[in-house]
Amino acid sequence: TSYQPALFGIVQGGRHQDLREESARVIGEMGFDGFGIGGSFNKEDMGTAVGWVSKILPEDKPRHLLGIGEPADIIEGVKNGADTFDCVTPTRMARNGTLMVKNGNGGRLNIFNAQYREDFKPIEEGCGCYTCQNYTRAYLAHLFRAKEILASTLASIHNLYFLINLTKSIREK
């Protein structure tokens, strides 16, 4: 089987509706395989800016939201027309001991908190990731305190699994 790389045109325009809409019109008419939506967003207006361009870009081609990786931002992006995402957020958070969870302090668990030193539950009950199936919060807390590289790996596995399942859930809905 032969694969052809897809070429995406990037829509820019910062926080300016007129510039984003003009960029979407021009880039949307160029025959790209899909579109990247980039530029600087405020958390408060990211969904609005994505919505501006999604109304203009061809509906039959994918829209990729550049640099978005927080769960709430992914949900907002999908609501406003984004199809795919990329970001360093899940692995950066993992390297710093922050784990994504459904319930908790803003959807985050800081494994450095003292309460996790002797917590023998998985990162999140019911999570099917390799880390949650095989390791406890206490073990991860130990690995992070010992500065073991395995800590970042196991935390990254969990955070990526979390986001993949979030997007799977969004697709099903």
Side-chain angles (χ1 to χ4, degrees), residues 69-72 74 90 99-103 107-108 123-124 127 129 155-169:
E70 295 267 353
I74 290 173
L99 302 159
M100 296 177 172
V101 292
K102 290 178 188 168
N103 301 308
R108 296 177 180 193
I123 296 166
E124 186 160 52
C127 178
C129 81
S156 291
I157 288 169
H158 171 79
N159 282 355
L160 291 170
Y161 184 93
F162 181 90
L163 286 181
I164 288 166
N165 278 291
L166 172 66
T167 56
K168 181 180 177 184
S169 170

Side-chain angles (χ1 to χ4, degrees), residues 60-96:
D60 63 334
K61 295 186 178 178
R63 299 174 191 130
H64 181 82
L65 195 49
L66 298 158
I68 300 299
E70 295 267 353
D73 296 337
I74 290 173
I75 292 167
E76 191 66 20
V78 169
K79 283 182 185 176
N80 287 285
D83 300 304
T84 59
F85 309 85
D86 74 283
C87 193
V88 300
T89 297
T91 54
R92 179 183 291 148
M93 286 173 61
R95 287 190 306 273
N96 292 306

Side-chain angles (χ1 to χ4, degrees), residues 136-154:
T136 66
R137 293 173 177 182
Y139 185 64
L140 261 69
H142 159 73
L143 290 176
F144 271 102
R145 284 179 174 77
K147 299 188 180 352
E148 289 285 345
I149 193 70
L150 181 60
S152 296
T153 301
L154 292 175

Side-chain angles (χ1 to χ4, degrees), residues 39-55:
S40 56
F41 301 111
N42 275 342
K43 284 238 185 232
E44 303 79 39
D45 65 7
M46 187 265 310
T48 302
V50 172
W52 293 334
V53 301
S54 289
K55 291 175 187 167

